[in-house]
């Protein structure tokens, strides 16, 4: 059942358009009440069809409009990275290597040894992505590029699995004492109203896990776990140096 919410006096507006366009301008006959109702019904059916046909494009446009200020900020903040980024390939660890490095985690399907994919495809293919890499390998640049890419694609109205990106530096959060939730609310301009955060369309890019104290690492990991459990469509990418993760997320390193 589809509920179509219209402005007050919707039927009268439709009928008035017919009168102005056809009766007054083209001397057409005046319709009776049943005919007017049939026109209004046809128009409602057309609107419903358009909504279902272009549902994803409409949702993307509404999201881009709602968070246009944030998206413009992200696009400007990481503009240089957007034109200089070089695509990286991710190579998932084998089941044996993964079990050795992270014994608390489990893999139900062992990935092929040569299953390398572009890093920028990971957020669309996986709900949670965990990146471990040595200093200078490109962790931060990758997250910043993803923020720029998703913001740019959303604003351009391009098709694809693009989400509202939100880049968080955990070192800054630990210094300020803010939680991830309050930081997200502040970045999106809904500070003080965290219930308005659109978690289901967010791509949360969390950087620098190894750059905070052990206590803060534990706190941030637990908070991310809680958010993932509460919002089933939230997508998260977390980056840190080798041995930053110990099976906290159901994700492949």
């Amino acid at each position: 059942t589809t509920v179509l919410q219209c402005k007050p006096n919707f039927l009268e507006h439709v009928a008035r358009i017919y009168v102005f366009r056809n009766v007054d301008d083209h001397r057409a006959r005046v319709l009776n009440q049943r005919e007017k109702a049939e026109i209004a019904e046809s128009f409602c059916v057309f609107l419903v069809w358009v909504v279902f046909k272009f549902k994803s494009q409409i949702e993307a446009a509404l999201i881009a409009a709602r968070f246009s200020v944030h998206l413009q900020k992200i696009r400007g903040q990481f503009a240089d990275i957007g034109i200089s980024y070089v695509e990286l390939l991710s190579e998932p660890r084998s089941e044996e290597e993964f079990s050795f490095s992270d014994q608390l985690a489990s893999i139900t399907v062992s990935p092929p040894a040569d299953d390398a994919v572009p890093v920028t495809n990971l957020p669309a293919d996986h709900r949670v992505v965990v990146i471990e890499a040595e200093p200078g390998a490109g962790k931060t640049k990758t997250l910043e590029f993803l923020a720029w890419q998703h913001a740019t694609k959303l604003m351009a109205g391009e098709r694809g699995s693009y989400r509202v990106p939100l880049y968080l530096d955990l070192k800054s959060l630990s210094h300020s004492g803010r939680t991830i939730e309050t930081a997200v609310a502040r970045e999106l301009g809904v500070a003080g109203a965290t219930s308005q955060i659109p978690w289901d369309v967010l791509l949360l890019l969390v950087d620098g896990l190894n750059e905070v104290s052990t206590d803060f690492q534990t706190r941030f990991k637990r908070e991310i776990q809680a958010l993932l459990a509460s919002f089933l469509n939230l997508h998260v990418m977390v980056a840190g140096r080798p041995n930053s993760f110990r099976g906290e997320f159901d994700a492949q390193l």
Side-chain angles (χ1 to χ4, degrees):
T1 302
T2 302
V3 178
L4 183 64
Q5 296 180 348
C6 304
K7 293 182 177 180
N9 303 320
F10 173 72
L11 299 182
E12 286 78 0
H13 287 308
V14 174
R16 192 177 300 119
I17 291 173
Y18 174 86
V19 171
F20 288 158
R21 179 62 181 163
N22 295 283
V23 177
D24 294 347
D25 293 346
H26 299 287
R27 304 298 180 184
R29 67 180 180 83
V30 177
L31 300 181
N32 58 40
Q33 294 299 320
R34 178 173 179 175
E35 290 171 324
K36 291 179 182 179
E38 289 175 346
I39 290 178
E41 181 182 24
S42 298
F43 187 70
C44 289
V45 171
F46 171 74
L47 286 180
V48 172
W49 176 83
V50 167
V51 169
F52 278 96
K53 178 72 173 178
F54 302 102
K55 183 174 182 291
S56 59
Q57 294 94 315
I58 293 172
E59 288 178 345
L62 292 175
I63 292 171
R66 179 181 176 188
F67 301 105
S68 60
V69 174
H70 170 72
L71 295 175
Q72 290 173 2
K73 176 184 174 183
I74 290 290
R75 189 174 63 174
Q77 181 179 355
F78 301 126
D80 292 339
I81 297 165
I83 61 176
S84 63
Y85 178 77
V86 177
E87 182 67 87
L88 302 178
L89 293 180
S90 68
E91 296 182 356
R93 294 174 175 174
S94 67
E95 185 174 5
E96 295 77 12
E97 182 184 4
F98 188 87
S99 299
F100 175 77
S101 63
D102 196 349
Q103 299 178 14
L104 298 180
S106 62
I107 296 182
T108 56
V109 179
S110 180
D114 58 348
D115 188 19
V117 297
V119 171
T120 52
N121 288 354
L122 292 175
D125 296 338
H126 304 279
R127 185 177 173 225
V128 185
V129 178
V130 170
I131 296 180
E132 282 193 341
E134 298 289 351
K139 299 184 298 296
T140 296
K141 296 300 181 186
T142 296
L143 296 186
E144 292 176 346
F145 175 78
L146 281 166
W148 175 87
Q149 180 192 53
H150 280 250
T152 300
K153 298 293 185 181
L154 267 182
M155 293 187 68
E158 295 192 22
R159 290 190 176 186
S161 302
Y162 302 114
R163 308 174 69 83
V164 177
L166 206 147
Y167 174 85
L168 292 178
D169 178 11
L170 291 185
K171 183 187 291 186
S172 299
L173 261 65
S174 65
H175 289 326
S176 65
R178 293 196 302 271
T179 64
I180 290 176
E181 185 173 8
T182 56
V184 169
R186 180 172 179 174
E187 288 294 319
L188 293 180
V190 295
T194 54
S195 61
Q196 298 181 15
I197 297 175
W199 294 108
D200 288 340
V201 298
L202 280 188
L203 171 59
L204 198 57
L205 304 163
V206 184
D207 194 20
L209 183 66
N210 57 279
E211 297 179 8
V212 298
S213 68
T214 303
D215 290 341
F216 275 109
Q217 287 186 34
T218 301
R219 193 192 87 181
F220 287 134
K221 287 177 181 178
R222 288 177 178 172
E223 188 177 359
I224 293 173
Q225 287 176 311
L227 290 172
L228 287 168
S230 299
F231 306 101
L232 301 183
N233 288 320
L234 170 65
H235 283 220
V236 177
M237 178 177 280
V238 190
R241 293 180 184 176
N243 302 316
S244 296
F245 305 94
R246 288 292 181 269
E248 295 88 357
F249 307 104
D250 184 17
Q252 184 177 303
L253 296 181

